[in-house]
Amino acid sequence: MVSKLWIGIGDIHENFEQVFSLPNLRESSGILISGDITNKGNKEKVYNFFQKLKENNSKIFAQIGNMDSFEIEEVLDDLGINTHLRVTELDSGIFLAGVGYSTFTPFNTPSEVSEDAMAKWLKQLKLEAKNKEHLIFMSHTPPLDTKCDIVLGGSHVGSKSVREFIEEVQPDICLTGHIHESKAIDEIGRTLIVNPGPVGDGGYVKIFFRDGRLELELH
């Protein structure tokens, strides 16, 4: 029996109409957005998008990715939906921990941080996230050396710190994105890692809580 359902997406890149066409949007328990809402920012457009999205589902949990500017994070803060470096209770005993931005890329995008900075953030987040009964970890940057962090040339470009967080905390699910060509499911220990790919390509994931477990279904 399914008691709860969340829709997980990322890498919207201003393909907002594609989000509104997702199935189960209205009846889901919430919408999880892992980052890259825009292409280097557009505050008014993003505000309007979230206002319209709230008409479909008021329970939105979002963070910026590397392609989003700081002003986009301000919108998320103003709307009270920012999950970056926060642990939020989605339902009784079910929690969401988030980290946005990305580690450095070759493209000099607006919201990149060093691996050291990411490690410091995750050390802080770990204190609050560990020992939760059921935990979804939403990281825009995928963990290193998985099926979810491989670029076209075959290199793994994920974050070592994100991987170490997962290895230590062992969340039920890690919802990630960032690497468009790495739509996949993988595992680190007991953690399911999922990169649904860009929304513009139709990618999303359903996260279910049923029979006392968090499970996922990639689309």
Side-chain angles (χ1 to χ4, degrees), residues 6-66:
W6 291 271
I7 303 296
I9 58 175
D11 299 290
I12 299 171
H13 297 292
E14 300 180 24
N15 289 300
F16 299 134
E17 289 306 314
Q18 191 79 19
V19 177
F20 299 125
S21 70
L22 292 173
N24 306 115
L25 205 61
R26 287 183 178 273
E27 63 266 35
S28 70
S29 301
I31 303 160
L32 314 181
I33 302 174
S34 66
D36 277 3
I37 301 159
T38 69
N39 298 311
K40 300 189 177 180
N42 187 318
K43 192 170 186 176
E44 183 178 0
K45 189 182 286 189
V46 169
Y47 183 81
N48 291 337
F49 162 64
F50 280 115
Q51 289 297 98
K52 185 176 177 181
L53 188 58
K54 282 193 170 189
E55 293 173 7
N56 290 269
N57 193 312
S58 62
K59 295 179 180 178
I60 303 167
F61 308 88
Q63 61 198 19
I64 67 168
N66 57 294

Side-chain angles (χ1 to χ4, degrees), residues 91-217:
D91 200 74
S92 179
I94 304 171
F95 294 84
L96 174 70
V99 63
Y101 296 69
S102 84
T103 47
F104 288 143
T105 77
F107 308 111
N108 192 31
T109 56
S111 296
E112 301 178 7
V113 298
S114 68
E115 190 69 61
D116 285 346
M118 185 67 72
K120 288 177 182 176
W121 279 350
L122 291 172
K123 183 178 180 181
Q124 171 191 337
L125 189 66
K126 191 187 306 175
L127 295 174
E128 194 176 350
K130 65 182 181 180
N131 301 324
K132 298 300 185 189
E133 185 178 0
H134 298 288
L135 180 67
I136 301 168
F137 174 43
M138 186 162 72
S139 171
H140 181 63
T141 304
L144 184 64
D145 291 333
T146 63
K147 295 175 183 176
C148 300
D149 80 322
I150 306 171
V151 292
L152 284 176
S155 299
H156 290 273
V157 295
S159 166
K160 181 174 181 286
S161 303
V162 169
R163 185 180 183 98
E164 289 173 348
F165 178 95
I166 293 168
E167 288 173 341
E168 183 170 343
V169 176
Q170 287 285 274
D172 300 72
I173 289 169
C174 172
L175 170 62
T176 187
H178 187 45
I179 310 303
H180 293 191
E181 56 268 41
S182 274
K183 178 175 182 173
I185 297 174
D186 207 344
E187 298 177 11
I188 297 176
R190 75 177 191 91
T191 302
L192 288 174
I193 318 297
V194 60
N195 179 349
V199 165
D201 293 340
Y204 69 99
V205 62
K206 291 180 177 180
I207 299 175
F208 301 98
F209 184 73
R210 53 189 169 195
D211 300 326
R213 295 178 56 195
L214 282 167
E215 302 172 349
L216 62 83
E217 189 177 281

